Amino acid sequence: MNTDMLIVGGDGDLALRKLYPSLYYLELNNCMPENTRIIGMARTGQTREEFLVKVKEWLKANVAAELFSEEKWESYSQKIFFAQGDATNAESLGKVREEFLGEGNQLVVYLAIPPLIFGKVCNALEGCGLAKETTRLVVEKPLGDSRESFIAINNELARTFPEKQLFRIDHYLGKETVQNLIALRFANDIFEPLWNSRYVDSIQITVSEEVGVGNRWSFYDQTGATRDMVQNHLLQVLCLTCMEPPAVLDADSVRAEKLKVLNSLKMIEGEEVLKDTVRGQYERGVVGGKEVPGYLEEESDKYEIDPNSQTETFVAIKAEIQNWRWSGVPIYLRTGKRLRGRHSEIVVHFKQSKHKIFQENHENHASNRLIIRLQPDEGIRLRVMNKVAGLEPGIPLESGCLNLWFSDKKEIKTHDAYSRLLFDVLRNDQTLFVSAAEVEAAWKWVDTIFAGWKSTGMKAQGYPAGSIGPVAANELLSRDGREWHEIE
Ligand code: BG6
């Protein structure tokens, strides 16, 4: 069936920087379903030619030079159209319908606009007959800043579109290595018997970024690392790491298992935030050899910088899933901006036997760890102990690694997270999209932490840009006799 993809906010930053380049990858991989048309809709008047010049420019800036070919651009650009209009107005949308959309075609509407106007666009889609049973609506974060505001936004969408037609993007679910968690866990039977509180000591999930808040200080100051990263990306990674095996690999089963994890998260209430969470804010420092300003010294895009802002650019949380499999296993989450490097990983620390037979080597006898590196160099590594070769008496130990490195940094990727997700929207597969119930449960957990920060007046601690975060983040683990897996 022919498909029309209408991108509302089609001339905006998200569309230009992410969506058109990712759709180009589908063309490049010969995955663009036949007869797909992409219609960028915006208020600003411009001709199709002018619009295509812009799309091409952004594409070349965002796609590796080796992957850009005039021939592919030619076939891709034939599918792209520009529609001027106001998507909150049914009449205006009706004109777009008449001029650009095929009557019997499948329609995908991507809302690359602020959630504030989601409701109006949905009403207008309904008003001009575009909210059909087959229409799919794609939205992405920020979906509110609390459970309450999420519910309000979602009600606006749900009034017009049932859950089956709503695709909520979390771009982490489009990443190869995040999906690989499913393969690693459920296609390798050796892990399953070990994947529980009997054998796992603790789990760490780290997403560290080198970048600062860039040119979006005002947005970020209202958001912070917990809302920007933990509520969505880190909790989704946690779900895939810890969920029960789904009965089948389809959207309903996978989402139901993830939801159970979110609903089993122990609430961190009131004063508990003081011992189980850490808030940090970056100060001036050196990142990648370059001196960079602190968070409060950045240039603001809109509002004046509040010198007393407590917005966290770093957060560390000791979480726990209270269920049969995981109760008692701490799951340490941390993420932050302006840290020493850009990398994301999950580290599963296995327990050690209490009976030690390598007495003289005690301190070298480290526990086994499974390190799942999500980015930038993707791979899996298992830390194992082995004997130091040689004639030294006894069995001296050293640790080594079994490595399964999928790609090195030099490899050019021919698709990205968005292309995978957009492809799934076109195929009508919701498995990698987040359900309303998941988003709501995640907000509920995060809201409780914010309430605790508020009631205790807990402040953000400074950390120098280029470091691994505030000292308190180390104490969060050292109190439990543990330490963060060192970034390799
Ligand atoms: C976005 C956040 O969702 O994810 C950004 O809003 C963050 O602040 C980005 O930088 C990180 O994504 P990635 O894919 O670079 O790890």
Side-chain angles (χ1 to χ4, degrees), residues 65 72 94 102 139 145 179 188-189 220 269-270 357 368 406 427 453 471:
K72 281 290 174 193
V139 293
D145 59 5
Q179 290 159 45
N188 296 290
D189 293 26
Y220 196 88
E269 285 170 314
I357 61 168
N368 297 121
F406 301 132
R427 289 187 284 209
W453 285 346
V471 181

Side-chain angles (χ1 to χ4, degrees), residues 103-171:
E103 250 333 286
N105 293 0
Q106 292 191 114
L107 178 63
V108 171
V109 183
Y110 198 118
L111 298 188
I113 48 171
L116 206 66
I117 51 173
F118 282 178
K120 285 189 180 155
V121 176
C122 287
N123 288 345
L125 285 166
E126 196 172 27
C128 71
L130 282 177
K132 294 182 264 188
E133 267 176 29
T134 52
T135 306
R136 285 162 226 157
L137 194 79
V138 190
V139 293
E140 71 178 286
K141 71 184 261 283
L143 293 175
D145 59 5
S146 63
R147 175 169 175 260
E148 198 185 344
S149 57
F150 165 70
I151 291 174
I153 293 171
N154 200 55
N155 285 346
E156 299 272 295
L157 302 171
R159 241 193 357 247
T160 320
F161 294 97
E163 187 69 9
K164 280 269 167 241
Q165 293 173 243
L166 283 171
F167 289 71
R168 293 180 200 82
I169 285 196
D170 181 316
H171 82 277

Side-chain angles (χ1 to χ4, degrees), residues 141 171-172 175 207 209 211 216 219-220 228-229 232-233 337 342 344 375:
K141 71 184 261 283
H171 82 277
Y172 265 57
K175 289 182 191 271
V207 176
E209 295 188 280
V211 293
R216 41 176 208 154
F219 160 77
Y220 196 88
D228 190 39
M229 299 292 290
N232 35 74
H233 309 322
K337 297 214 181 279
R342 174 178 186 255
S344 309
Q375 58 192 25

Side-chain angles (χ1 to χ4, degrees), residues 47-67:
T47 63
R48 180 177 180 211
E49 285 64 39
E50 286 164 346
F51 181 60
L52 286 178
V53 169
K54 204 185 289 177
V55 171
K56 188 176 181 183
E57 249 170 45
W58 279 81
L59 204 125
K60 287 176 105 173
N62 284 283
V63 167
E66 297 88 321
L67 297 180

Side-chain angles (χ1 to χ4, degrees), residues 364 366-371 381-388 397-403 488:
N364 290 349
S367 60
N368 297 121
R369 289 181 188 178
L370 182 69
I371 301 141
R381 182 176 276 199
L382 182 64
R383 186 168 89 174
V384 290
M385 298 309 296
N386 53 290
K387 178 188 171 294
V388 179
L397 297 177
E398 65 179 358
S399 71
C401 274
L402 297 176
N403 272 332
E488 289 168 35

Side-chain angles (χ1 to χ4, degrees), residues 357-364 393-396:
I357 61 168
F358 299 99
Q359 289 299 354
E360 68 281 13
N361 262 292
H362 186 53
E363 65 282 4
N364 290 349
I395 307 283

